[in-house]
Structure formats: structure tokens, C-alpha cells
Amino acid sequence: METFYHVLEQLYKKILLGAPLENDTQEYALYLNLPFSIQDLSTSNFLRWPCVHHGNQPGSVNIGATPIPVELINFKINFQVSNPRDIMLLQLTVIKMMITKILSKKMEFTIKEKYNAIIEILLKSHELESKLISTFHGSDKLLSHMAAKCLASLLHLQLREKDIINKTWTDFCLKSFSDYPESNTISYCLWTLTAVIKEILKATCLRKAGLLKQFLASFDFHFEVFYCSVFSQNFENNHDTKILNPKITNFLICFLELLEILIASRIHLKLYLTCQRVFYLKIFCALDIISWPIHSLVKKKFIILIKRCLLHKVGEDVLNTSLPTLTEQDPYLDMDMLALGNAFLQAVNLGWLKQLSVSEKPSHFGGSEVQSENKSLLVPDLIILRASSLVLLKSLEIKVHDCMSASEIKAELQKFMSELLTFLKHHLHSSLKLHHHCEWLSKIFIEQDDDMLEAAKASLSIYLKLTRTWNEAAKDMTQEKETWDHQTHENGFNPHCIFLFLLKNIGFDATVLLDFLISSETCFLEYFVRYLKLLQGEKNNFSDVCKLFDEAELKDGMPISRIVTSHVEERYSNQATHQHLFCGTNHCALLPVASDPTTSGTNNKQKDNQTMKLKQPNLLMCIDNISSPRASQSLVDYSGSSEDSEEESVEEEYLSTVKQTPLNNQVNTKIREIVSVTGEKNQNYLESTAILLDPKEASTLSSVNSEAAPNSIASETVIICKTFKCLKELEKAISRLHRRHLFPYNPSALLKLLKHIDTINKNMNVL
């Protein structure tokens, strides 16, 4: 056996180097021939491996007419030197490596031909696939895992090189599906399926879609039946919550990973098979998984998978690649996304969030809880809170855009946002306690930029849709518009509050916004453009919200909701206007209204404001080819103005296709050097702003903990000053980078929009 192991070791080294094999292919097939069953690994049965056939004469071993080296005959003498299990592991490793070399484009054709001949002998004469599958029935997990890896490579090789779907493998999978949950090999079946699909997606050949369609065709119908049977299982008998069944956990993780790669293949290869759509169409039966007595890691992976589906980001981590360009629209995407969103909202309406358990301690990646002696440092599992909140918000966005009437939209919004805010307040500790309903987004997403901006974008999208629908329904009814303004705060999605909380969390640092604009990892550009366009028409709303922020900071940390109450009571104490209550879980407050005539000044200013609201710039996307830092194409054109809904839908479509190219390290370093130079010139921003406002207030405003009188000009406008100053610094930084050809795309249209915002700021007589 020692000689046998030594020969395999030398073969491994040759294949690793891609060296040619001199001996006969039958001889190499002998060394690589696996035992047929796991029992043949025992030392007593090792001599009866199919690869060894005793000849008529002692001292000779033959396979047909192929002579075998004489040294193999003597391996019985050194039987205890090597472990048969080690030999089988080495055989599997060599076979896997040989298949990898065959699939490589860098290998010489003659060497590939030799490797192919050996694999063919193993398949035809020695039933390689059957022996690999038989390994799954054993108790040795390492051998089974290595066999699964080897089988996945073999299936991919047969499919890509010969357009063959292995019948033995297909029968094994279908039997595993039908035998579930009694099948002991189902996890290996799912893992191998996932591995083959990954290999196809990662391949560079042009016919990947055809190969995958051919591979999945035989499983398509049976997989839907299997999917339903998995989520219809009754786990109530599994009362052992202290020692969770690792078999169930492993199976469910393998199943969720297979679902993710199936959905990813739909996105990347434009395939729409039933097995790729079943998670969207039949999600409702799967949502009960959160109440199963299973490991929390499985529930977390499940919710994150739903989130990625709704964000259209499935497979980015698995395939380590970004989403492909949407050159061809998925004909079923809108229908499937609506089905997924509606099913989730239906579950929430039935108490899904109440059933979702959230650990009071954060957890590591593997699911184990973080141990800490200081309980004050512990926070709830924000991963679950973020994922579930974003799923609800995206589902609500899809639902809102599918609704027609303003009353229907209003009812859906109030119902589900109230459910979400109640859920969050129940799980957030005192350190994360909400003082304003709109603060929830910043509180739970502050540690994850990409999800935070996705949530902000979804919230803004809901606001834009509802505002348009509500304005169409209410027309010029002032009281209805005031009611609508209250409801945006009450339901925690006022876009101006959300944007200001974002700026406060980053310290009004323009360089952070610049990083967001340059990065390709978030949707900040899309969100930022939409918000700036909104700000053009809602400057009065923005000003009112800023004043509330100022007063909240000046009153020693008093909750914003209480500031809002006193602010509105003071402004409307002499009016007979009906006051609308802001009813939250812990607070009841009054909010300012956008249509207050006192904020508009003269009638001429009112007309200007109305004209500004009517200006909804149209986006015209130009060619998005930014392979060079010197790209001169236009990103977007904001100069147009139209209220036409069809043009706005075109704007949404084009804006969603905006791509940002990350810069290399050298360019990024130059950017930071340029920005830092200008940053030094503006380090005394608060002092200079205070002087512009009122020289007497300069020393007060220079401190972040300013306690200026609430009635002073400075106390009412400090947040506005900070906001517009931040945007002005951002505009200057982008302009400098653009002049030096260091910005990754042409920001001319974005600069035009920022300059327009600066003009609005000057017209508001703040600076």
C-alpha cells in the first residue's frame, strides 16, 4: 500500500504541474479506480477493490491485457504503512484536479487528450459516477464532501464538452427528491446541484444559458414539488431547542444556497424556468420557517435571501460579481416581484413580525452569540432588524406603485409602517430609542451603508408616489395637504427628516458624500439625484423640518416629537385650523404643515414656490461608457422640465441603469489629496457661517452644543446652514475632480443640479 500511495502522490504532482503522462492510460485508471462501496475501505476488504484482480500466476496483477508494475504486487507486505482512507482521498483529489485541467484553456491539447482518456475509462469500465454517489451513504463526511466536489466537476465536464446529462446522476437526484425527508443523501444532492450551477455561471463559454437550461430541464417540474414538500414539513416534534439537529440545519442551508444560485442564474443568464421562479411565486408557504425550532442562522439566511430578491442583488456574494447590464428585460420580473411583495405583506398582516424572534445579543457570522460582561454594550441582532425592515419597506414600495387610489395607498402605508415601527421599538434598547419616527432608518442602518441607502431610496420612492397620488386626489384642498404632511412624519418616511438624519450621522462631511458618489457599492447616486430634485419643489417643507431639528438640539436633548408639539402649538395657537395629531407608540405630537402661508412671504413668493413645484426636470441618459477617467459623455440632463407621468417613468427607468465605476487606488489617492487641501480652507465653517448670520452669534455657533436663544435667526437656521454648506462643498469637490479628469463619470448634469440647489438656498435668504 505504501507503493500504491507513492505512485498516486507522484501522479498528483505531475497533474499539478500540468506535465504529460508517459504510461498507459489503463495503468493510470487502475490507480484511480475507487472502491465501489464505503465498506471496501476497511483493511480486510482492501485487497478486494475492483482495481485489483489476482492473476493466474502469483506475483502478477492484470486488468485485461494491460501489464501492471511488479512493485504493486508487494503492497500487501507493507499493509499497515498507509491508511486506505488516505488513499481514497488522494484518488478523489487527483481525479478532481485532472478534470479541472481538462476544463482549463491553458493546457496543451495532447495532455488534455490523455486526461480525457483516463476519465473515459473510469466512467465506462469502472462506473466512476456510481462509486462517487455510493460514498454519500457513508458516515465519513470528509470522503462524502470530496466525492461531491469530484462529482460536480465531472458533471460539468460532461455537460460542457459533450452536452451529456449523466443519467445515473439524474436518477439519483430524482429519487432523493421523492424520498425526502427520509433520504439521507439529499444534502449532497443539493450541494452538488449548486456546485454545478456555479461552475456554469463562472465559465467563460458563450453558451452558458443553453447548458444551464439543458441541465435544469430534467429537474424543473420535480423541483417545484420538492420545494413545496420542504416547506410543508412539520417540525413541531423537534422540541430539542438546546441541541439543534445538525442534519436539518445542514439540509436547510444547502437548500437556501441552491435557491439563491437558481435565482442568480435567472438574473445573469436570462432564463425563466419554474425552478428559478418558484421562490417568488410560492414564498408564502416558506415564510413559516421563522417559527420553526431551527438554528437562527437558517432564519437569518432566509430573510436575507428575500431581501436580495427584492433588491435584485441575488448572487453578488456567491459569484463575486456585479449584476449584468439589463440589456433584456425579464418578462416575468414585475409579476414575480409583486407576488413576493404581496405575500410578505400578507404574512406581516397576519402577525409575521410578532413571530420573528430577535436575539437580544449580537451574533458572529456563524450564528454564535457574542459574549460580553458589560450588558450596556450589547445591542439586539441588527442584522435581523435591518433585513426584515428593508424587506417590508421594499415590499411596501412595490405594493404602493401597484395601487391606484390615494385612499388605498394611505391605508396600506399606515397599516404596515405602524406595524414596522411597533416591531422596532419593541426590540431597540434604550441606547437606540427613537425620539422621532423618521429616525428609525438611521438608527438601525447606520452600520451598513448599502442597505441604509436602499431603504432611504425606497422610502423616497414611496413618498414621491403617494405625494403625486395624494395631490391629484386632494387638488387644492389645503387641509388635506396638511393632513398628508402630518402622515409622512407619523409613518416615519418624511424624506427631509431622513436626509437630515443621514447628514447628522456623517457630521455634515461632504467627503463622505463624495465617497458615496464615487463608490459602486451603494445606490447613493440614484437616491441623491431624486432627493435633490424633490428639494427643488419642497423648500418650505425642508425649512420647517430644519427648524424642528434646530429647536430639538437647543433644548438639551428634548425629544423632537415634543419640540414639534410646542412648535406647532405656538405657530397655530391663533388659528382655527384643525390640528392633526402625530400618534406614535410613545409620543403624541403635532407637526408643521407645508402650506402655511406665513412661511411663503409675499404673494409673489408664493407664486414662485408654486412654479418651482411644477418644475420636474426630465432625465435624459446618454451613453454610459466610462472606461476612461477622461470620459466626456453626459451622465444625466436635468435641464428639462415636464410634469408628464410618462416622462417621469422614463426618468425612473434611465436612472435605475446608472452605473458607477470604482476608481483604482492611485486615482482614489489623488482625489483624497485634492479634497483634503480644500477641506483645510473650510475647517472653520461654523464660525464663518455664524458671522454671516449674526456677528454676535459667532462664538456661540462655533460650538456644536450651541445654546443660542430659540428666537434668534441663528437658532432657526443652523441646520439649514450646515446642510447647504455641505452640499456646496460637495459641488466644489466634484468640480475640482472633474477638471482634473479624476471623477469616474461625467458629473456635469449633477453639478448643474447642485448649483440649482445653491441658488434656491440664496433665494431663501438664509445665507
Side-chain angles (χ1 to χ4, degrees):
M1 181 179 293
E2 183 180 10
T3 305
F4 197 97
Y5 189 89
H6 177 72
V7 173
L8 284 173
E9 189 177 24
Q10 294 301 316
L11 181 59
Y12 167 81
K13 292 178 180 179
K14 283 189 175 183
I15 297 175
L16 182 63
L17 297 173
L21 304 179
E22 299 85 2
N23 296 344
D24 186 73
T25 54
Q26 291 282 358
E27 180 181 341
Y28 290 115
L30 168 69
Y31 292 114
L32 296 175
N33 188 19
L34 299 172
F36 198 89
S37 64
I38 199 67
Q39 290 77 16
D40 290 330
L41 281 176
S42 64
T43 54
S44 60
N45 293 328
F46 183 78
L47 292 177
R48 292 196 289 259
W49 279 11
C51 64
V52 179
H53 294 272
H54 299 280
N56 296 328
Q57 297 178 358
S60 66
V61 180
N62 295 286
I63 293 182
T66 304
I68 302 300
V70 178
E71 56 266 21
L72 286 182
I73 304 169
N74 300 322
F75 72 87
K76 183 179 179 181
I77 301 175
N78 301 317
F79 194 76
Q80 287 78 18
V81 175
S82 297
N83 189 339
R85 178 177 178 271
D86 294 339
I87 289 181
M88 187 173 180
L89 286 172
L90 186 54
Q91 285 177 315
L92 292 169
T93 303
V94 172
I95 294 172
K96 172 71 170 64
M97 186 181 298
M98 189 177 292
I99 295 173
T100 302
K101 295 292 184 181
I102 294 173
L103 293 170
S104 174
K105 292 184 177 181
K106 298 180 180 180
M107 289 294 296
E108 295 181 12
F109 177 76
T110 55
I111 299 177
K112 282 187 179 183
E113 210 171 27
K114 187 84 169 182
Y115 292 172
N116 256 322
I118 296 172
I119 297 298
E120 282 299 315
I121 294 174
L122 291 175
L123 285 170
K124 293 180 179 179
S125 303
H126 304 302
E127 304 177 73
L128 176 59
E129 68 270 51
S130 298
K131 293 175 182 179
L132 291 171
I133 292 172
S134 68
T135 311
F136 299 156
H137 296 277
S139 58
D140 194 314
K141 302 301 180 185
L142 179 57
L143 276 175
S144 299
H145 179 65
M146 285 299 299
K149 292 180 68 176
C150 190
L151 181 60
S153 297
L154 179 63
L155 295 171
H156 182 218
L157 173 67
Q158 290 181 307
L159 183 63
R160 203 179 89 172
E161 298 296 321
K162 299 184 179 180
D163 288 336
I164 295 176
I165 303 295
N166 194 291
K167 188 177 184 306
T168 304
W169 157 253
T170 303
D171 294 341
F172 164 71
C173 279
L174 296 181
K175 187 175 187 307
S176 298
F177 288 164
S178 62
D179 291 346
Y180 179 81
E182 285 76 19
S183 174
N184 294 321
T185 60
I186 186 64
S187 294
Y188 294 107
C189 171
L190 299 178
W191 190 94
T192 310
L193 271 170
T194 304
V196 174
I197 299 173
K198 284 182 182 179
E199 290 295 329
I200 295 174
L201 290 176
K202 292 178 181 179
T204 57
C205 61
L206 299 177
R207 53 193 187 96
K208 292 190 293 185
L211 291 177
L212 185 61
K213 185 176 182 179
Q214 182 183 356
F215 179 70
L216 296 177
S218 56
F219 306 106
D220 199 28
F221 171 76
H222 302 277
F223 185 80
E224 181 180 2
V225 177
F226 172 65
Y227 173 93
C228 295
S229 66
V230 169
F231 290 114
S232 62
Q233 289 298 307
N234 188 353
F235 284 87
E236 293 181 356
N237 295 328
N238 183 19
H239 296 294
D240 190 2
T241 56
K242 295 182 179 179
I243 305 177
L244 299 173
N245 191 332
K247 180 180 177 182
I248 295 176
T249 301
N250 184 54
F251 160 71
L252 290 173
I253 289 177
C254 288
F255 185 57
L256 291 176
E257 289 177 350
L258 175 58
L259 287 173
E260 181 171 3
I261 201 66
L262 283 171
I263 299 170
S265 67
R266 167 186 181 169
I267 298 173
H268 285 261
L269 299 183
K270 307 296 185 297
L271 292 177
Y272 319 113
L273 301 176
T274 302
C275 61
Q276 297 170 306
R277 300 179 59 203
V278 65
F279 187 71
Y280 293 87
L281 301 178
K282 298 193 175 182
I283 184 64
F284 191 79
C285 66
L287 290 170
D288 287 338
I289 194 174
I290 64 161
S291 62
W292 292 0
I294 55 176
H295 202 292
S296 60
L297 178 62
V298 178
K299 301 177 183 180
K300 190 177 299 185
K301 285 180 69 70
F302 175 75
I303 298 174
I304 291 176
L305 177 57
I306 301 177
K307 181 193 77 173
R308 289 174 176 169
C309 288
L310 291 171
L311 296 179
H312 202 61
K313 291 184 177 180
V314 182
E316 285 187 339
D317 295 339
V318 177
L319 301 175
N320 195 26
T321 181
S322 59
L323 289 175
T325 306
L326 298 177
T327 55
E328 178 184 346
Q329 182 64 36
D330 187 335
Y332 305 103
L333 181 61
D334 292 339
M335 179 176 63
D336 291 354
M337 293 285 277
L338 181 60
L340 177 59
N342 284 342
F344 184 82
L345 292 179
Q346 183 181 352
V348 170
N349 197 35
L350 296 175
W352 190 87
L353 288 176
K354 296 182 178 67
Q355 297 177 4
L356 179 61
S357 59
V358 180
S359 173
E360 296 299 319
K361 299 179 181 179
S363 59
H364 294 291
F365 176 77
S368 59
E369 291 183 344
V370 176
Q371 301 298 325
S372 176
E373 296 179 356
N374 190 350
K375 296 183 178 180
S376 62
L377 299 178
L378 295 178
V379 295
D381 190 347
L382 291 177
I383 297 177
I384 288 289
L385 292 181
R386 280 195 293 261
S388 55
S389 300
L390 187 50
V391 168
L392 190 147
L393 199 61
K394 291 296 295 184
S395 299
L396 187 57
E397 179 188 10
I398 295 171
K399 177 73 172 179
V400 163
H401 282 277
D402 187 61
C403 294
M404 297 301 295
S405 66
S407 58
E408 183 183 5
I409 295 175
K410 176 184 174 183
E412 294 293 321
L413 179 67
Q414 290 179 328
K415 177 172 60 177
F416 290 111
M417 288 305 297
S418 174
E419 190 79 19
L420 174 60
L421 292 173
T422 302
F423 166 73
L424 292 175
K425 289 180 180 180
H426 176 71
H427 291 288
L428 292 178
H429 292 174
S430 56
S431 60
L432 297 174
K433 187 177 180 181
L434 299 179
H435 298 299
H436 187 290
H437 283 177
C438 297
E439 195 178 9
W440 73 271
L441 196 149
S442 297
K443 286 286 187 181
I444 67 171
F445 286 104
I446 189 61
E447 295 179 358
Q448 193 164 347
D449 296 340
D450 54 347
D451 279 0
M452 176 179 66
L453 293 170
E454 288 287 355
K457 187 182 75 171
S459 177
L460 179 59
S461 176
I462 294 173
Y463 178 86
L464 292 174
K465 169 66 177 178
L466 268 64
T467 301
R468 182 165 54 249
T469 307
W470 191 260
N471 287 340
E472 291 174 357
K475 296 182 181 179
D476 296 328
M477 297 172 62
T478 303
Q479 183 173 332
E480 293 294 336
K481 291 181 179 180
E482 293 175 1
T483 303
W484 165 238
D485 185 66
H486 283 283
Q487 290 170 350
T488 63
H489 292 277
E490 178 183 350
N491 294 302
F493 68 97
N494 183 280
H496 306 299
C497 290
I498 291 173
F499 184 70
L500 289 176
F501 277 123
L502 169 62
L503 292 183
K504 286 187 66 177
N505 285 331
I506 65 173
F508 294 88
D509 189 349
T511 59
V512 177
L513 300 182
L514 181 64
D515 285 341
F516 284 157
L517 285 173
I518 292 173
S519 172
S520 62
E521 298 177 357
T522 71
C523 62
F524 180 72
L525 174 61
E526 186 177 355
Y527 163 72
F528 191 51
V529 167
R530 291 181 180 179
Y531 177 74
L532 292 180
K533 285 167 58 63
L534 172 70
L535 183 56
Q536 292 180 97
E538 294 199 1
K539 58 183 181 181
N540 291 333
N541 279 9
F542 176 76
S543 178
D544 288 340
V545 172
C546 286
K547 291 175 183 178
L548 298 181
F549 273 72
D550 288 337
E551 294 181 19
E553 290 190 356
L554 290 172
K555 293 191 177 181
D556 297 328
M558 182 183 296
I560 292 179
S561 58
R562 293 177 59 189
I563 299 298
V564 170
T565 303
S566 60
H567 179 79
V568 176
E569 287 176 350
E570 180 181 351
R571 291 180 59 189
Y572 298 102
S573 59
N574 298 324
Q575 297 182 15
T577 306
H578 175 70
Q579 303 294 333
H580 301 276
L581 294 179
F582 165 29
C583 300
T585 304
N586 300 323
H587 306 288
C588 185
L590 300 175
L591 295 179
V593 290
S595 58
D596 178 17
T598 61
T599 62
S600 303
T602 64
N603 294 333
N604 291 333
K605 288 186 178 180
Q606 288 182 8
K607 294 180 181 179
D608 292 340
N609 293 337
Q610 293 173 359
T611 303
M612 186 67 67
K613 291 181 180 181
L614 291 176
K615 292 184 178 180
Q616 299 293 334
N618 183 31
L619 299 180
L620 300 175
M621 182 66 61
C622 295
I623 300 174
D624 187 18
N625 181 11
I626 50 178
S627 58
S628 169
R630 296 177 177 270
S632 61
Q633 72 283 358
S634 174
L635 175 69
V636 226
D637 183 7
Y638 306 94
S639 59
S641 61
S642 173
E643 254 189 342
D644 188 82
S645 60
E646 182 178 352
E647 292 184 2
E648 289 182 358
S649 65
V650 173
E651 168 189 327
E652 299 284 342
E653 177 183 354
Y654 279 129
L655 192 54
S656 65
T657 63
V658 172
K659 296 193 301 180
Q660 303 177 59
T661 302
L663 303 179
N664 56 42
N665 293 333
Q666 183 178 2
V667 175
N668 199 29
T669 302
K670 291 181 180 179
I671 288 176
R672 294 185 180 279
E673 289 175 355
I674 296 171
V675 172
S676 62
V677 171
T678 307
E680 294 176 358
K681 299 179 181 179
N682 297 299
Q683 60 184 349
N684 296 322
Y685 148 63
L686 286 178
E687 289 84 345
S688 61
T689 302
I691 293 173
L692 289 173
L693 292 173
D694 187 347
K696 297 180 181 180
E697 301 291 339
S699 59
T700 306
L701 282 181
S702 62
S703 172
V704 176
N705 297 321
S706 172
E707 296 185 1
N711 294 327
S712 68
I713 297 177
S715 67
E716 294 180 355
T717 59
V718 62
I719 293 295
I720 293 181
C721 291
K722 289 182 179 181
T723 301
F724 285 108
K725 183 67 175 179
C726 177
L727 295 178
K728 185 64 177 179
E729 290 177 350
L730 177 64
E731 177 195 338
K732 292 179 179 179
I734 295 174
S735 298
R736 288 191 303 274
L737 295 173
H738 182 43
R739 286 196 302 268
R740 300 193 182 193
H741 307 290
L742 291 174
F743 210 72
Y745 49 85
N746 190 341
S748 299
L750 179 60
L751 288 172
K752 186 186 299 184
L753 182 55
L754 286 170
K755 289 178 181 177
H756 194 185
I757 295 299
D758 186 51
T759 303
I760 293 177
N761 172 39
K762 294 176 181 178
N763 293 337
M764 291 171 67
N765 297 320
V766 176
L767 291 179

